[in-house]
């Protein structure tokens, strides 16, 4: 099945949103061709601000716009949104709970060839630890469009992690997008794979591979990392007894940590973490980098087997 | 060497760097051509004439430093380092590939001769100020050259450093603005104008040297003058983004795009490369 670049889905969604809501404004910092906010700017030039290469200024401008009733979408590369403009995001947006939506482009290693300076592998941890912040990571083109609408309808700060990558349509077209709700994509009773973002297709493939070996993996797609869907997680942990998280992020502080924090209180089970193992990566082709740095289908399968081994020893 | 011979030699060096940059980006099918080509003459003058560096001893504590604060111009730096013998020329063709020491943006821990890691715009100038202050503290007489993009001047941090360098009398820090009038999304004059640029630096108490960044005589004299003066000097080099390739010149579309085979052949021909 042919896919679509998530950044294109984002650009299209912004245009639709602009038509529906006149208060929506978009800001970008000289990467609007890359993030696709230029699509919005071409249709609504007077509601589009390109601030130049000045992310900190942009973030605080958005705070001011929101304080006066606008619904700003702020767009730049995700490492810049959460780090260069991180203090602005925390102090002027999260703290006063202003209605700013951060469209964090080029998430994970999707800007693969530009290298470690442009990879974004700690942004979920940063955004998630800001009180008041909602954190969403998209994994599929249709879902990206729905997520843009959902976060716009929600009143409060949101960190929306996007991607440059072309991604296959994995989710059913009519799958609803509900903020704060995980998506049960596959039933299974031996263990649960919880995944966020682009590695969704790889995770589904790993579940297929495990099924061929007689292991039934439940798959939950978790777009909202904060607030996390405790209900679906606790149920899965109780029913399957083991959990593997899969994310394009440092294994510290991201989805894996969020899931562990939820489960350790209510339903502790053996867990494994698939993601970047606390290292800077390197320049290279995207898929090859994912394979090399711990996110191959094999990595997911072997983590599933490892957690099954630990589960049998626990019981 | 007579000064005319020197200028001729540096021009030829710059030509070769341009051809190498084009070939690197073509082979990798990824990388930033426009801002590498605009800086080629400046980088050639620095690496083949002005800078005190020793390829056999890349960590020499007394060496001059060069920081491409506009780190996406990594290809032009890599081409110069290879030409000076810091690593084999063949390495250039591994740009941006897995296992290569040539990252998309400069990595001081991977590439011999790279003095500082950069790539997130606005930061290299300040790291250069730190290096300049270390040199002053140690009584060393090395110079620190920073290459700044004109779009990069949008960043507030650049002006924080401009303020601090004058205050700390970092006369051994020489910023060179690659004033090619184009940033990523379009012309600087349309995206986020920076004029009057000379007056801005002067208001921050800098002495400004304005040169044609493609006139090798002016480049060499400007760099020498900046080193000679005992005050904070910035070189504003008027350049052309994509310089040397007619269909790339002044076009923001060629900021970060790789040429296809036909474009590569045409560009190589315009840069004086023979048909292979
Ligand atoms: C802080 C930061 N913001 C954005 C980018 C993305 N980016 C890379 S190059 C570039 C444009 C740079 O323009 P300029 O400084 O004029 O460089 P040049 O024209 O010499 O290539 C942008 C926006 C970045 N690398 N770092
Ligand atoms: Mg420029």
């Amino acid at each position: 099945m042919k896919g679509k670049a998530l950044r294109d889905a984002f650009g299209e969604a912004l245009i639709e949103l602009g038509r529906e809501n006149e208060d929506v404004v978009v800001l970008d910092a000289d990467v609007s061709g890359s993030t696709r906010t230029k699509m919005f700017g071409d249709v609504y030039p007077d509601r589009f601000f390109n601030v130049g290469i000045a992310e900190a200024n942009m973030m605080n401008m958005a705070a001011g716009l929101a304080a006066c009733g606008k619904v700003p979408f702020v767009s730049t590369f995700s490492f810049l949104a959460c780090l260069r403009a991180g203090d602005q995001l925390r102090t002027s947006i999260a703290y006063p709970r202003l209605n700013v939506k951060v469209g964090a482009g080029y998430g994970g290693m999707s800007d693969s060839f530009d290298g470690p300076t442009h990879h974004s592998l700690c942004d979920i941890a940063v955004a998630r630890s800001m009180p008041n912040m909602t954190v969403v990571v998209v994994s599929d083109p249709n879902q990206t469009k729905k997520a843009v609408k959902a976060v716009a309808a929600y009143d409060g700060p949101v960190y929306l992690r996007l991607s440059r990558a072309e991604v296959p349509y994995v989710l059913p077209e009519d799958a609803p997008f509900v903020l704060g709700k995980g998506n049960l994509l596959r039933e299974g009773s031996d263990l649960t794979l919880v995944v966020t973002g682009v590695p969704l297709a790889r995770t589904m493939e790993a579940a297929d591979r495990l099924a061929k070996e007689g292991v039934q993996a439940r798959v939950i797609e978790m777009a909202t990392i904060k607030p996390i869907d405790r209900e679906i997680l606790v149920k899965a942990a109780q029913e399957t007894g083991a959990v593997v998280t899969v994310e394009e992020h440092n294994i510290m502080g991201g989805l894996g940590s969020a899931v562990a924090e939820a489960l350790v209180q209510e339903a502790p089970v053996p867990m494994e973490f698939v993601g970047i193992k606390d290292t800077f990566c390197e320049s290279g082709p995207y898929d090859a980098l994912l394979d090399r740095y711990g996110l191959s289908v094999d990595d997911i399968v072997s983590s599933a087997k490892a957690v099954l081994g630990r589960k049998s020893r626990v019981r | 060497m007579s000064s005319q011979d020197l200028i001729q030699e540096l021009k030829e060096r710059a030509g070769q760097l341009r051809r190498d940059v084009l070939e690197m980006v073509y082979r990798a099918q990824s990388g930033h051509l426009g801002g590498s080509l605009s800086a080629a003459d400046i980088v050639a003058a620095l690496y083949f004439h002005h800078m005190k560096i020793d390829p056999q001893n890349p960590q020499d504590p007394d060496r001059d430093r060069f920081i491409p604060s506009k780190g996406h111009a990594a290809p032009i730096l890599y081409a110069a380092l290879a030409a000076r013998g810091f690593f084999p020329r063949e390495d250039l063709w591994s740009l941006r590939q897995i296992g290569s020491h040539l990252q998309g943006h400069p990595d001081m821990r991977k590439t011999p001769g790279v003095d500082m890691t950069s790539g997130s715009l606005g930061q290299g100038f300040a790291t250069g100020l730190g290096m300049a202050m270390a040199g002053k503290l140690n009584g060393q007489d090395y110079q620190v050259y920073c290459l700044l993009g004109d779009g990069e001047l949008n960043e507030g941090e650049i002006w924080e450093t401009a303020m601090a360098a004058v205050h700390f009398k970092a006369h051994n820090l020489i910023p060179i603005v690659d004033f090619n009038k184009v940033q990523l999304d379009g012309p600087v004059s349309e995206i986020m104008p920076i004029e009057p640029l000379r007056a801005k630096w002067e208001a921050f108490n800098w002495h400004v040297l304005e040169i044609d960044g493609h006139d090798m005589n002016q480049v060499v004299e400007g760099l020498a003058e900046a080193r000679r003066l005992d005050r904070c000097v910035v070189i504003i080099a008027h350049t052309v983004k994509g310089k040397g390739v007619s269909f790339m010149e002044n076009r923001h579309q060629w900021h970060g795009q790789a040429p296809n085979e036909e474009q590569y052949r045409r560009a190589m021909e315009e840069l004086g490369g023979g048909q292979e």
Side-chain angles (χ1 to χ4, degrees):
Chain A
M1 199 178 354
K2 235 190 88 59
K4 181 186 201 119
L6 295 188
R7 58 175 172 171
D8 290 327
F10 177 60
E12 291 164 14
L14 283 183
I15 293 177
E16 284 176 32
L17 194 64
R19 194 180 319 126
E20 291 162 13
N21 185 346
E22 283 193 358
D23 282 330
V24 168
V25 295
V26 175
L27 298 90
D28 203 297
D30 196 30
V31 289
S32 72
S34 314
T35 60
R36 300 297 194 249
T37 60
K38 183 179 188 301
M39 294 164 70
F40 180 95
D42 286 345
V43 182
Y44 305 106
D46 49 345
R47 284 194 268 152
F48 177 69
F49 302 97
N50 193 332
V51 303
I53 308 169
E55 297 78 11
N57 174 50
M58 172 173 71
M59 197 63 83
N60 273 330
M61 267 182 76
L65 284 157
C68 295
K70 296 297 174 192
V71 183
F73 273 72
V74 178
S75 160
T76 181
F77 298 161
S78 57
F79 79 92
L80 294 166
C82 71
L83 298 175
R84 176 69 58 94
D87 178 22
Q88 288 75 9
L89 181 60
R90 184 205 63 149
T91 307
S92 304
I93 294 170
Y95 179 29
R97 223 179 324 101
L98 284 168
N99 194 22
V100 173
K101 319 301 170 187
V102 179
Y106 284 19
M109 291 197 284
S110 61
D111 188 19
S112 67
F113 288 103
D114 274 335
T117 55
H118 286 55
H119 297 165
S120 184
L121 298 167
C122 63
D123 59 322
I124 299 174
V126 172
R128 196 170 77 81
S129 54
M130 293 184 189
N132 294 333
M133 188 65 71
T134 293
V135 179
V136 176
V137 179
V138 292
S139 59
D140 159 289
N142 287 328
Q143 183 197 49
T144 300
K145 292 190 156 185
K146 293 175 201 163
V148 167
K149 294 211 170 154
V151 304
Y154 164 80
D155 183 16
V158 179
Y159 185 85
L160 176 65
R161 191 210 231 197
L162 302 158
S163 176
R164 182 183 198 275
E166 184 177 326
V167 170
Y169 292 91
V170 180
L171 300 172
E173 209 183 325
D174 57 356
F177 180 87
V178 184
L179 263 185
K181 288 283 169 224
N183 246 327
L184 178 63
L185 293 183
R186 182 178 178 128
E187 275 296 358
S189 52
D190 294 329
L191 80 152
T192 303
L193 304 174
V194 185
V195 56
T196 197
V198 173
L200 173 60
R202 289 167 178 245
T203 304
M204 295 303 276
E205 198 181 325
D208 282 341
R209 224 194 285 159
L210 286 164
K212 289 203 185 94
E213 299 182 30
V215 175
Q216 301 307 326
R218 182 176 299 192
V219 178
I220 294 170
E221 189 256 355
M222 196 67 90
T224 312
I225 306 235
K226 183 186 171 185
I228 198 135
D229 186 347
R230 297 174 84 94
E231 202 181 323
I232 200 171
L233 289 175
V234 168
K235 185 165 186 287
Q238 285 167 347
E239 291 174 3
T240 69
V243 170
V244 175
T245 55
V246 185
E247 63 192 310
E248 191 184 358
H249 188 271
N250 195 336
I251 53 168
M252 296 178 177
L255 171 75
S257 300
V259 171
E261 288 159 16
L263 290 182
V264 79
Q265 288 178 322
E266 292 182 53
V269 293
M271 278 187 72
E272 292 286 329
F273 304 96
V274 175
I276 310 301
K277 305 278 190 301
D278 197 27
T279 183
F280 287 102
C281 302
E282 63 183 307
S283 293
Y286 185 45
D287 283 324
L289 283 186
L290 292 178
D291 284 344
R292 187 183 172 97
Y293 286 93
L295 278 158
S296 69
V297 174
D298 279 346
D299 288 316
I300 302 171
V301 168
S302 62
S303 292
K305 290 180 179 167
V307 87
L308 280 175
R310 290 171 53 207
K311 172 183 165 183
S312 62
R313 263 177 274 132
V314 169
R315 296 231 159 146
Chain B
M1 199 187 298
S2 85
S3 71
Q4 269 330 297
D5 288 349
L6 169 69
I7 298 302
Q8 190 51 39
E9 140 127 32
L10 291 179
K11 282 183 179 170
E12 281 163 23
R13 291 290 188 183
Q16 187 58 48
L17 295 188
R18 284 195 167 90
R19 291 189 289 277
D20 283 352
V21 158
L22 175 69
E23 185 164 351
M24 288 161 78
V25 173
Y26 171 64
R27 290 203 195 202
Q29 278 301 295
S30 177
H32 296 84
L33 275 175
S36 288
L37 294 174
S38 63
D41 301 292
I42 296 160
V43 170
L46 284 170
Y47 275 87
F48 292 97
H49 179 56
H50 292 278
M51 283 173 68
K52 281 184 298 174
I53 43 172
D54 177 5
Q56 301 313 312
N57 186 12
Q59 295 298 326
D60 179 359
D62 292 324
R63 72 191 186 279
D64 287 343
R65 269 79 169 171
F66 174 73
I67 304 171
S69 193
K70 41 167 273 189
H72 56 281
I76 192 70
L77 170 61
Y78 298 159
L81 290 173
R84 280 301 311 268
F86 282 86
F87 50 81
R89 186 160 178 273
E90 301 81 70
D91 291 5
L92 295 178
W93 320 136
S94 70
L95 176 74
R96 293 178 164 235
Q97 301 310 310
I98 287 182
S100 172
H101 66 84
L102 300 177
Q103 296 300 296
H105 293 77
D107 182 332
M108 67 182 284
R109 296 294 180 209
K110 285 205 163 137
T111 308
V114 167
D115 294 314
M116 185 63 213
T117 294
S118 66
S120 182
L121 294 167
Q123 304 190 32
F125 189 21
T127 59
L129 173 55
M131 291 181 182
M133 295 314 294
K136 281 181 54 143
L137 285 171
N138 295 338
Q140 294 163 288
D141 73 347
Y142 61 75
Q143 301 284 309
V144 182
Y145 298 95
C146 291
L147 184 69
L148 311 181
D150 48 0
E152 186 184 18
L153 300 187
N154 294 167
E155 286 284 359
E157 187 178 354
I158 293 291
W159 302 99
E160 297 171 22
T161 306
M163 208 165 0
V166 170
H167 178 58
F168 295 130
K169 300 191 173 56
H171 303 164
N172 49 347
L173 174 68
I174 303 178
I176 305 153
V177 179
D178 184 356
F179 195 5
N180 61 25
K181 323 298 186 284
V182 178
Q183 50 193 108
L184 193 155
D185 272 341
V188 176
S189 60
E190 289 172 26
I191 302 299
M192 188 51 63
I194 56 173
E195 293 279 25
L197 188 57
R198 182 186 191 103
K200 277 195 178 66
W201 284 97
E202 285 173 347
F204 279 70
N205 278 330
W206 285 74
H207 180 70
V208 178
L209 298 177
E210 259 183 279
I211 63 167
D212 175 343
H214 302 308
D215 177 328
M216 196 55 85
N217 272 304
Q218 292 190 32
V219 173
V220 168
E221 276 169 28
L223 287 167
E225 170 91 350
R227 193 161 188 151
R228 200 159 47 234
L229 291 174
D230 190 23
R231 58 175 301 187
C232 284
V233 180
V234 58
I235 296 176
I236 297 181
H238 291 270
T239 55
V240 174
K241 196 151 176 167
K243 174 71 178 178
V245 180
S246 58
F247 58 92
M248 294 184 186
E249 288 188 357
N250 299 310
R251 291 176 56 85
H252 71 271
Q253 291 83 351
W254 283 100
H255 169 77
Q257 190 187 313
N260 63 27
E261 189 182 339
E262 194 263 332
Q263 291 164 331
Y264 170 70
R265 301 240 167 260
R266 266 165 60 207
M268 192 52 99
E269 214 168 304
E270 289 192 23
L271 291 175
Q275 289 278 29
E276 280 121 273

